[in-house]
Amino acid sequence: DDLQTLTGIDTEPIPIGGFSETKTVDVPLALPTSVIALDAQTVKVTIDIRAVTGTRTFEVGVRIIGAQPGFDYDVGVDRVLLTVGGNPVDLDRIIGSTLAADLDVTSLVAGTTDVNVGATLPANVTLVAASPPQVPVTVTARPTASPSG
């Protein structure tokens, strides 16, 4: 009679503390007291472990990287929204005031160019998005002083 009403068999609890990757383990069956297994006493269970991730968004200032002597750089915005992702513990450690949107102007010549926004981030944290993703930067050559005679 007990077998006719049985719709599934549970396993004993599986301790997963300390698991940092997917594991397959043998787990004893948790049979009802009136049911006896004739063959298998355990089953193989695969436990898929995935890192918990999240995102945070920070409003940050812009930083010019690679400025060349003799040129002035005018940035089209003074603030950018950076969305970063990673483990919530790592994200909670970020101090927003230490972040900046990096604009690499190393290869720019005179004129206006849309520059991709980047960021220097702590280990285990990645840049998910920047808003705007590009920032206009106008490069002008500084006037050179003419020799006086």
Side-chain angles (χ1 to χ4, degrees), residues 3-94:
L3 288 179
Q4 290 177 345
T5 60
L6 193 62
T7 59
I9 299 174
D10 292 329
T11 66
E12 293 294 331
I14 304 169
I16 60 169
F19 284 14
S20 59
E21 59 187 28
T22 298
K23 290 201 184 260
T24 300
V25 294
D26 289 321
V27 183
L29 297 173
L31 298 171
T33 54
S34 59
V35 175
I36 299 171
L38 298 178
D39 192 4
Q41 301 293 320
T42 62
V43 292
K44 286 196 180 301
V45 175
T46 299
I47 301 158
D48 188 23
I49 303 292
R50 289 185 297 245
V52 175
T53 59
T55 60
R56 302 278 190 283
T57 300
F58 299 92
E59 183 179 38
V60 300
V62 295
R63 175 174 49 200
I64 297 291
I65 305 291
Q68 302 298 313
F71 292 93
D72 289 321
Y73 299 86
D74 182 39
V75 180
V77 300
D78 64 344
R79 308 295 288 168
V80 173
L81 291 176
L82 293 182
T83 300
V84 297
N87 179 302
V89 172
D90 293 326
L91 294 175
D92 288 343
R93 290 185 186 130
I94 295 175

Side-chain angles (χ1 to χ4, degrees), residues 131-144:
S131 180
Q134 294 183 323
V135 171
V137 176
T138 301
V139 181
T140 52
R142 287 190 196 123
T144 55

